[in-house]
Amino acid sequence: MFNRKKKHLPPAATFREVWQKGDASFKLSFFFMGLAQLKHKQWAKGIAYLGLEVAFLIWLAFTGISSLRMLSNLGAIKQKKVVFDEAQGVYITKLPDNSVVILLFGVLSVILVVAMIGLYISNLNSVRKLYVQLRDGEHVPTNSEDLHSLFDSRLHTTLMTIPIIGIVAFNILPTLYMISMAFTNYDGKHAIGFSWTGFKAFGNVLTGDLAGTFFPVLGWTLVWAVMATATTFFFGVLLALLIESKGIQHRAFWRTIFVIVYAVPQFVSLLMMAQFLDLQGPLNNILMNWHLIAHPINFIGASANPLVARITVIVVNMWIGIPVSMLVSTAIIQNLPQDQIEAARMDGANAFQVFNNITFPQILFVMAPALIQQFIGNINNFNVIFLLTKGFPMNNNYNGAGDTDLLVTWLYNLVFGQTQRYNASAVLGILIFLLSATFSLIAYRRTNAFKEG
């Protein structure tokens, strides 16, 4: 059946050729995966393909079709209602369909269908490869050789199996579920039975009743991210330069003192700082005892001045973030080319000129990717805002947000607040992702580290 004159035949084959010239097992493999492999004694591969197909078909018949069908409307019954059951002759109460479960299993079903399509393509490629090996007289791997390759040449495939399953279960599935939620009316009023509403939730956030909150909070989020990143980086570099200066003794001790701030969990340090800055806290008492102020300053309370509260969170974030920048900058400073610095000083450059033209550019070159990552982290910096201010002071013009709330903390308020606007919070999650991804891509591609990499 197979022409073994390999010099007269192309090394590859199309699926059409496999279908037309292959034997019955190859043709049947287009419908029943693994049959060609089983016929040629590749037992493990054939059983795996065929077993997964059988399991998928059983799941599809008993569960999958129903889950996919219900995904179209997220359940027929949206509200509790009383209907007359003619068979029993009594009135019965019908509870609404649980759209949360329907959506979850619907998304999972879509993922399984896509995975099955990928497995089917893998089967076709395996069948085509087997056909070419037989057609050209090449060696066909035996079952033991296939199994041995899983722990040798294809060890990476074997080791990646469990991580990929984990990524699908704990990353892709929740992400797709959250994205799907943004296209529904899932909120406190529709907590059990909800429906698809298209881009209505996006309209509410961008142009509707939440737009008056979204854009001001977005603006403050960007200001916060820029200031939090710039201040911790700049002052961290200055602190590292100060500790590394000639004449400073016990450098390891000073580094340790500053690192302790970072080593203490933020949950502890930020709550203690909130108490320290309280209206009746130690800071106000000290300032009043020194007669520097006549009345306590409301730094972060519910009735605090918005500008004061925002400056306060930036300053507190410096206290937390500077040690990290200091440690990274110290490692870079210790590896700077000292010959350039000495040559610049011999040419008459002062300390500022050396810093501005040699030290700082090289530190920025190395730390640029980390700064981008830090900027994205500050956009999503839930801990500092929530533990320190809880979004206070509240703004009556905002919908569920305060003057120090970031998009991520506002998202939290929408989920756990009184309105429970899950769909709006899902929209915010998507917008935060788009904002972070867009900035990361643009900024990283402009760094010298990327251009020279």
Side-chain angles (χ1 to χ4, degrees):
M1 179 186 67
F2 296 99
N3 190 339
R4 298 179 183 272
K5 294 181 180 180
K6 137 176 166 178
K7 62 180 180 179
H8 298 299
L9 293 173
T14 62
F15 291 123
R16 187 172 186 177
E17 180 184 343
V18 176
W19 173 262
Q20 292 176 344
K21 298 183 179 181
D23 61 18
S25 66
F26 285 95
K27 291 181 173 64
L28 288 174
S29 292
F30 281 79
F31 305 98
F32 303 100
M33 299 190 307
L35 292 185
Q37 292 90 335
L38 288 173
K39 180 182 177 182
H40 295 90
K41 300 181 179 181
Q42 294 180 332
W43 307 114
K45 186 182 294 184
I47 291 173
Y49 277 126
L50 185 60
L52 289 173
E53 182 179 8
V54 171
F56 175 79
L57 292 175
I58 293 174
W59 166 82
L60 191 66
F62 287 95
T63 305
I65 294 177
S66 175
S67 297
L68 293 171
R69 185 176 63 250
M70 295 184 70
L71 183 63
S72 62
N73 59 5
L74 300 177
I77 304 176
K78 303 299 181 183
Q79 296 179 345
K80 183 175 68 174
K81 58 183 180 180
V82 179
V83 297
F84 182 75
D85 188 344
E86 296 181 356
Q88 301 182 31
V90 295
Y91 286 93
I92 61 174
T93 301
K94 286 191 174 183
L95 298 176
D97 294 325
N98 194 333
S99 299
V100 175
V101 176
I102 293 173
L103 179 60
L104 177 61
F105 280 94
V107 172
L108 178 59
S109 299
V110 172
I111 292 176
L112 291 177
V113 170
V114 172
M116 189 61 198
I117 293 173
L119 185 66
Y120 178 73
I121 294 173
S122 172
N123 165 71
L124 293 182
N125 289 327
S126 177
V127 168
R128 179 171 60 179
K129 182 178 179 180
L130 177 60
Y131 169 83
V132 171
Q133 290 170 341
L134 292 169
R135 182 198 66 182
D136 297 346
E138 298 177 1
H139 172 69
V140 177
T142 63
N143 182 65
S144 60
E145 289 173 339
D146 271 336
L147 291 175
H148 181 267
S149 68
L150 292 176
F151 299 94
D152 187 12
S153 60
R154 291 190 293 166
L155 179 62
H156 61 282
T157 303
T158 306
L159 295 178
M160 285 298 293
T161 301
I162 295 178
I164 288 176
I165 294 174
I167 289 172
V168 172
F170 300 107
N171 291 91
I172 295 178
L173 176 60
T175 300
L176 293 178
Y177 178 72
M178 184 272 292
I179 293 174
S180 302
M181 196 184 299
F183 299 92
T184 69
N185 60 346
Y186 185 23
D187 55 22
K189 296 179 180 179
H190 308 89
I192 299 179
F194 50 85
S195 307
W196 296 110
T197 56
F199 289 90
K200 185 177 180 180
F202 286 86
N204 290 336
V205 172
L206 298 175
T207 61
D209 61 320
L210 296 179
T213 306
F214 172 73
F215 289 102
V217 172
L218 172 62
W220 159 240
T221 300
L222 295 176
V223 171
W224 150 263
V226 171
M227 293 300 298
T229 304
T231 52
T232 55
F233 168 68
F234 181 74
F235 289 105
V237 171
L238 290 183
L239 181 60
L241 287 171
L242 177 62
I243 294 177
E244 291 299 314
S245 298
K246 292 182 178 179
I248 299 296
Q249 298 180 353
H250 310 297
R251 294 175 182 174
F253 170 77
W254 296 115
R255 291 194 202 101
T256 304
I257 290 296
F258 288 106
V259 169
I260 288 176
V261 176
Y262 178 69
V264 175
Q266 288 189 3
F267 180 80
V268 176
S269 58
L270 288 173
L271 289 179
M272 291 182 62
M273 184 59 71
Q275 295 294 323
F276 182 72
L277 296 172
D278 189 70
L279 196 64
Q280 305 298 326
L283 180 59
N284 275 309
N285 288 329
I286 293 172
L287 294 176
M288 292 180 67
N289 290 335
W290 290 353
H291 304 290
L292 297 177
I293 58 174
H295 304 283
I297 300 175
N298 198 339
F299 290 100
I300 55 174
S303 58
N305 182 284
L307 181 60
V308 172
R310 289 177 173 180
I311 293 175
T312 301
V313 295
I314 292 174
V315 172
V316 172
N317 183 73
M318 289 169 55
W319 170 63
I320 295 174
I322 284 177
V324 183
S325 297
M326 181 266 296
L327 284 177
V328 179
S329 301
T330 299
I332 300 172
I333 292 169
Q334 291 176 346
N335 290 279
L336 287 176
Q338 296 299 317
D339 54 341
Q340 293 183 11
I341 298 175
E342 292 298 332
R345 288 173 177 168
M346 290 177 63
D347 290 339
N350 57 34
F352 175 77
Q353 290 172 326
V354 171
F355 171 78
N356 188 51
N357 295 289
I358 299 177
T359 307
F360 186 76
Q362 296 198 46
I363 293 175
L364 185 61
F365 173 81
V366 177
M367 289 190 63
L371 287 175
I372 295 172
Q373 181 181 5
Q374 187 177 348
F375 178 84
I376 300 305
N378 282 323
I379 290 178
N380 297 282
N381 197 331
F382 181 87
N383 288 348
V384 172
I385 301 300
F386 185 79
L387 295 176
L388 190 63
T389 69
K390 293 184 173 59
F392 290 146
M394 296 305 295
N395 192 319
N396 294 329
N397 297 322
Y398 290 174
N399 191 331
D403 283 298
T404 59
D405 267 316
L406 307 179
L407 288 176
V408 65
T409 56
W410 182 36
L411 184 156
Y412 176 86
N413 294 338
L414 289 176
V415 172
F416 295 100
Q418 295 180 350
T419 57
Q420 295 181 329
R421 301 181 68 162
Y422 302 105
N423 55 347
S425 64
V427 172
L428 284 180
I430 295 173
L431 295 177
I432 292 172
F433 167 76
L434 293 176
L435 174 67
S436 302
T438 301
F439 176 84
S440 297
L441 182 62
I442 295 174
Y444 185 69
R445 290 178 65 87
R446 290 179 177 271
T447 60
N448 291 327
F450 176 83
K451 294 177 181 178
E452 299 180 13

